[in-house]
Amino acid sequence: MKAVTEQEIRASFVNCSKGEAKRLTLPRGLTEQPWDDLDFLGWRDSGAPDRGYLVTDRGGEVVGVALRLAAERRGSLHRGMCSLCLTTHPGSGVSLMTARRAGQAGRDSNSVGVYVCTDLACSLYVRGKKIPDLGGRLEETLTVEQQIDRTRSKLSAFLDKVMV
């Protein structure tokens, strides 16, 4: 992913108002992000723990999606698998995140959801740059590049549902 600016991020959101995008909390260290290792920039809102954000390059255009975390607490014995990167995490390491659909559908309260790494660090898990706590990545016969392509494809499918 190419580096994006604060202005690009705020202008990219397809499922929230311009006012909401203007008020959202950006990730710390935006300029220090490992851009070459990211398929998307994902972060949780430090001021609102039930909110997360995802910004990616989609066909040369920066697209952002505001997410809500489902209020679900799981015991540490429960394991979940991220739908995007297929990393497993114990307890609350995977969360159901929902996104209002773009346009009229979102204004009519329609939303879509995806089970995703709670810290939104899928890109780093796939590349082995971050190791999940007590979780893991399944051993696969796919190369890292093929796993990256699969993650991007799954992200694109989720964005298709948001933007319809």
Side-chain angles (χ1 to χ4, degrees), residues 128-153:
K129 306 281 183 175
K130 188 170 183 179
I131 307 299
D133 296 334
L134 302 173
R137 301 233 345 117
L138 300 173
E139 236 179 89
E140 297 191 61
T141 57
L142 298 178
T143 66
V144 171
E145 282 303 317
Q146 290 171 322
Q147 292 175 46
I148 291 168
D149 289 344
R150 179 184 60 208
T151 301
R152 289 177 179 165
S153 175

Side-chain angles (χ1 to χ4, degrees), residues 107-120:
R107 289 188 290 278
D108 291 340
S109 299
N110 292 322
S111 62
V112 294
V114 63
Y115 282 96
V116 67
C117 297
T118 304
D119 63 2
L120 296 165

Side-chain angles (χ1 to χ4, degrees), residues 63-103:
V63 174
V65 175
L67 303 164
R68 291 269 179 171
L69 276 75
E72 182 177 322
R73 296 286 177 222
R74 295 182 175 148
S76 60
L77 296 178
H78 176 84
R79 298 179 75 76
M81 181 183 280
C82 174
S83 298
L84 300 181
C85 69
L86 304 184
T87 300
T88 62
H89 296 274
S92 59
V94 172
S95 297
L96 174 61
M97 294 193 191
T98 60
R100 272 191 320 219
R101 288 192 158 182

